[in-house]
Amino acid sequence: MSKREQVLNALFARLSALQDVEVKRNAVLPVKIPDKGLIVLRDGNVGEPEVLLSPACYVFHHKAEIEVLIQQEDDADNDAKLDRVLEAVGRIISVDITLSGLIDYMRAEPPEFIEQPVDGGLTIKGAVVPIVLEYTTTNALL
């Protein structure tokens, strides 16, 4: 398994430990968000690696994305639930910023908030959180 996939699987496993929200990876967004909320880990963009020579190794600043989506009865409930889930994501990321030594460093960037009205339904409130995963590998494809 490639280093990229190992890192994403480790982050997914970490997010899956959250109790009060459903967690998926690269999933198509459903028409209705589960009552407890939904987190979708997107693979994102590995970007152009920094190449170090002798021996050759590649330093990636991989930017994955965590989508957090909430669909509650009213706007105040949406805001409160979204804030709680974002705090939980922040805590779970900061507990082990190296994913048990798999990567050099992991950090979250500020979220971009979204709001999607649904015809005849409840508004979806969400946030996209870029997660920078810094790691080194000896092969750009492995």
Side-chain angles (χ1 to χ4, degrees), residues 11 15 62-66 68 85-98 103 105-112 128-134:
L11 179 55
L15 292 170
H62 183 159
K63 193 177 277 192
E65 291 183 339
I66 296 174
V68 179
V85 174
L86 287 173
E87 284 182 325
V89 168
R91 279 191 298 276
I92 209 154
I93 286 173
S94 65
V95 166
D96 180 10
I97 60 171
T98 67
I103 62 175
Y105 190 74
M106 170 175 54
R107 65 181 167 81
E109 293 184 346
E112 177 185 331
V128 177
V129 182
I131 303 294
V132 178
L133 305 158
E134 298 180 16

Side-chain angles (χ1 to χ4, degrees), residues 46-71:
V46 295
E48 188 69 30
E50 180 181 338
V51 181
L52 305 175
L53 301 175
S54 193
C57 65
Y58 301 86
V59 180
F60 284 96
H61 301 275
H62 183 159
K63 193 177 277 192
E65 291 183 339
I66 296 174
E67 293 178 8
V68 179
L69 301 163
I70 305 297
Q71 191 175 29

Side-chain angles (χ1 to χ4, degrees), residues 10 23-24 30 50 53 56 77-78 81-82 86 106 124 131:
V23 180
K24 296 183 178 189
E50 180 181 338
L53 301 175
D77 289 342
N78 270 346
K81 177 72 175 183
L82 180 61
L86 287 173
M106 170 175 54
I124 298 171
I131 303 294

Side-chain angles (χ1 to χ4, degrees), residues 1-10 25 102 135 137 139 141-142:
M1 179 182 307
S2 70
K3 178 80 172 238
R4 175 188 64 258
E5 196 63 21
Q6 290 174 40
V7 169
L8 290 168
N9 282 339
R25 182 167 169 209
L102 184 60
Y135 56 89
T137 182
N139 185 313
L141 297 178
L142 301 178

